[in-house]
């Protein structure tokens, strides 16, 4: 014996060939789908409201200016990641002594790390120091690229120095130690389960919070 769900019309007594029976079934199915869409729409609306409230709270400046600072640091972190993955890596590849396709991954990663230390270490970055880090002379054709990279890094440093919240690029590292996933990650193509060997790109920390993880060559 089949028992209909509450609120669902019972069509068992009707003939399957009855056009009224078919139309009633069709209307019931449409009503069920319509109610499901309404529920999904309401859930989506509530989720959007939650996200908008969260975004407003995140963007609202606090009296000490930290709210606005937080926005700036998120922008710096994104700019920093893109800079390392694109322009720094491109310069490191161009500085290869052999053909880029024959360049060992470790050698490339060490050059990226050397460039990052010049750009985001303690000393003020300079094109000559950057070229020296990749074993090129200051008259090398890559000098113009090195100068543009230094200008970008100096702009990011100035934004950081004007911040209310303390921020820094962190190169601290213990060779041979396993990665701490809370603030470190392997450089792409490296394995997370292996111990770290050297820093490729530093972490970006703001008020002891990780805005960009340190990326490490493992092996």
């Amino acid at each position: 014996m089949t028992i209909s769900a509450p609120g669902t019309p019972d069509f068992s007594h009707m003939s399957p060939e009855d056009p009224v029976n078919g139309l009633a079934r069709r209307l019931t199915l449409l009503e069920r789908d319509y109610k499901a869409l309404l529920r999904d729409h309401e859930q989506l609306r509530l989720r959007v409201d939650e996200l908008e409230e969260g975004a407003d709270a995140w963007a609202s400046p606090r009296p000490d200016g930290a709210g606005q600072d937080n926005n700036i640091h998120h922008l710096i972190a994104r700019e920093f990641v893109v800079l390392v993955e694109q322009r720094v890596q491109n310069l490191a590849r161009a500085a290869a002594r052999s053909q880029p396709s024959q360049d060992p991954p470790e050698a490339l990663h060490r050059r990226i790390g050397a460039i990052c230390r010049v750009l985001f270490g303690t000393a003020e970055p300079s094109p000559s120091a950057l070229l020296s880090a990749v074993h090129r002379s200051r008259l090398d054709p890559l000098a113009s690229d090195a100068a543009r990279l230094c200008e970008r890094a100096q702009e990011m440093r100035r934004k950081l120095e004007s911040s209310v919240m303390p921020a820094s690029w962190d190169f601290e590292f213990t060779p041979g130690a396993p990665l701490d996933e809370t603030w470190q990650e392997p450089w792409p193509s490296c394995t997370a389960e292996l111990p770290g060997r050297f820093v490729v790109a530093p972490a970006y920390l703001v008020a002891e919070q990780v805005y960009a993880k340190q990326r490490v060559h493992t092996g």
Side-chain angles (χ1 to χ4, degrees), residues 46-64:
L46 292 174
R47 179 58 178 157
V48 170
D49 289 345
E50 289 175 0
L51 292 173
E52 288 179 346
E53 289 174 3
D56 290 341
W58 177 78
S60 298
R62 299 201 296 269
D64 59 358

Side-chain angles (χ1 to χ4, degrees), residues 134-173:
V134 293
H135 309 292
R136 296 282 185 158
S137 74
R138 61 185 181 85
L139 300 178
D140 192 277
L142 295 175
S144 58
D145 293 332
R148 285 192 290 270
L149 261 180
C150 289
E151 289 174 4
R152 290 285 298 277
Q154 286 171 336
E155 289 176 5
M156 295 167 69
R157 282 168 169 250
R158 283 192 289 270
K159 292 177 183 177
L160 183 150
E161 290 169 357
S162 63
S163 167
V164 174
M165 302 166 69
S168 64
W169 282 281
D170 193 342
F171 289 89
E172 185 176 348
F173 178 73

